[in-house]
Amino acid sequence: MRFSAGSSSFGAWRPCQATPIAFYTGRFSTEDHSRAVDGISASVRRFYERKEKFRIFHGSTNSTRHAAKGNRMVDSSSLSHVLKVDMERKTATVEPNVPMDRLVEETLKYGLVPSVVMEFPARFKHGFFNRTFNSVEMVLANGDVVTCPEKEKSDLFHGAAGACGTMGVTTLVELQLREAKKYVETTYHPVSSMTEAIKKIEEVTADPNLDYVDGVLYSKHQGAIVTGRLTDIPGASVPIQRFSDSKQ
């Protein structure tokens, strides 16, 4: 693959229309969520009282073992809904099994997008995805349900990320959103060595006008650093590349 120096293109989000309401609540209500969490809490408490080990089934697994349901299993796989998008506070209240594409699809309806989207690397600005959380709801090992804001229960808040259920069963998060734009302008910067790639990354991550930075090396002597910025106005001479079968 060849790149010309500083070559650019535009990737288009799905078009969105802002609405006058302050927040969005889906068909799965907060009451439905509370009932589901009560069931998980009761299951965990029974295992705790019997001093029995259990595994968590959430529909997918980090383990190489087969994640089959059984008698010693706490099932959280139904927690897969976006409960609310708050346009005023720019936050989303989301259950833990919501796929990223569905989360983005929901928030774009209200002119917002998560601060960190996995396919658009913005960690140099906002940190890892969990650093965009305001709070985490979880079921502890004794069955208690707690909500953990960063400043009030910081040990649980920070410990929940990547703990694979050892700190508790995560059941809900509130995460930060940002204003979406119609396009992401991407620029490909060719590099010919690891040293050049590192230098270019240090340069572009210091640019406050950029929103995304990614990079790939195809060999020892060929690669590219890719930068992106959100914009509503595409350049006249820059081609627009659309994704997700968007026709608009």
Side-chain angles (χ1 to χ4, degrees), residues 7-19:
S7 60
S8 299
S9 64
F10 282 90
W13 296 109
R14 286 182 181 271
C16 59
Q17 294 181 346
T19 68

Side-chain angles (χ1 to χ4, degrees), residues 85-160:
V85 175
D86 190 318
M87 296 174 61
E88 183 177 4
R89 296 179 59 236
K90 294 184 179 179
T91 61
T93 304
V94 186
E95 292 180 327
N97 297 322
V98 175
M100 180 59 70
D101 57 347
R102 191 192 307 167
L103 173 60
V104 172
E105 183 179 2
E106 287 294 331
T107 60
L108 278 177
K109 294 176 182 178
Y110 306 95
L112 300 169
V113 68
S115 297
V116 174
V117 178
M118 303 310 182
E119 289 78 5
F120 293 91
R123 292 186 292 272
F124 76 100
K125 262 191 171 181
H126 304 286
F128 289 105
F129 184 62
N130 62 285
R131 295 302 299 141
T132 67
F133 293 175
N134 291 332
S135 64
V136 178
E137 177 191 81
M138 64 171 62
V139 179
L140 300 181
N142 63 355
D144 289 351
V145 181
V146 296
T147 299
C148 310
E150 181 176 12
K151 294 183 179 179
E152 295 179 17
K153 295 183 175 67
S154 60
D155 53 348
L156 288 173
F157 177 87
H158 292 291

Side-chain angles (χ1 to χ4, degrees), residues 9-13 182-186 239-243:
S9 64
F10 282 90
W13 296 109
K182 291 182 179 179
Y183 304 97
V184 178
E185 180 187 22
T186 55
I240 296 177
Q241 174 67 53
R242 299 188 183 276
F243 302 94

Side-chain angles (χ1 to χ4, degrees), residues 61-236:
T61 178
N62 288 329
S63 172
T64 56
R65 294 171 296 177
H66 181 58
K69 296 183 180 180
N71 293 329
R72 294 190 178 184
M73 189 76 65
V74 172
D75 189 348
S76 66
S77 60
S78 65
L79 300 180
S80 58
H81 305 86
V82 179
L83 298 187
K84 182 172 72 173
V85 175
D86 190 318
M87 296 174 61
E88 183 177 4
R89 296 179 59 236
K90 294 184 179 179
T91 61
T93 304
V94 186
E95 292 180 327
N97 297 322
V98 175
M100 180 59 70
D101 57 347
R102 191 192 307 167
L103 173 60
V104 172
E105 183 179 2
E106 287 294 331
T107 60
L108 278 177
K109 294 176 182 178
Y110 306 95
L112 300 169
V113 68
S115 297
V116 174
V117 178
M118 303 310 182
E119 289 78 5
F120 293 91
R123 292 186 292 272
F124 76 100
K125 262 191 171 181
H126 304 286
F128 289 105
F129 184 62
N130 62 285
R131 295 302 299 141
T132 67
F133 293 175
N134 291 332
S135 64
V136 178
E137 177 191 81
M138 64 171 62
V139 179
L140 300 181
N142 63 355
D144 289 351
V145 181
V146 296
T147 299
C148 310
E150 181 176 12
K151 294 183 179 179
E152 295 179 17
K153 295 183 175 67
S154 60
D155 53 348
L156 288 173
F157 177 87
H158 292 291
C164 298
T166 57
M167 300 292 292
V169 183
T170 299
T171 53
L172 195 70
V173 299
E174 182 185 85
L175 56 88
Q176 301 161 19
L177 305 175
R178 60 179 300 185
E179 182 181 354
K181 303 289 185 180
K182 291 182 179 179
Y183 304 97
V184 178
E185 180 187 22
T186 55
T187 302
Y188 295 80
H189 308 269
V191 293
S192 57
S193 68
M194 177 63 76
T195 300
E196 186 180 357
I198 293 173
K199 182 178 180 181
K200 176 57 69 173
I201 288 174
E202 290 175 343
E203 174 189 328
V204 296
T205 53
D207 186 345
N209 296 313
L210 295 177
D211 298 296
Y212 307 111
V213 175
D214 203 354
V216 59
L217 284 176
Y218 303 104
S219 69
K220 290 183 179 180
H221 306 294
Q222 187 179 37
I225 304 303
V226 186
T227 59
R229 69 179 185 92
L230 294 167
T231 181
D232 285 324
I233 305 174

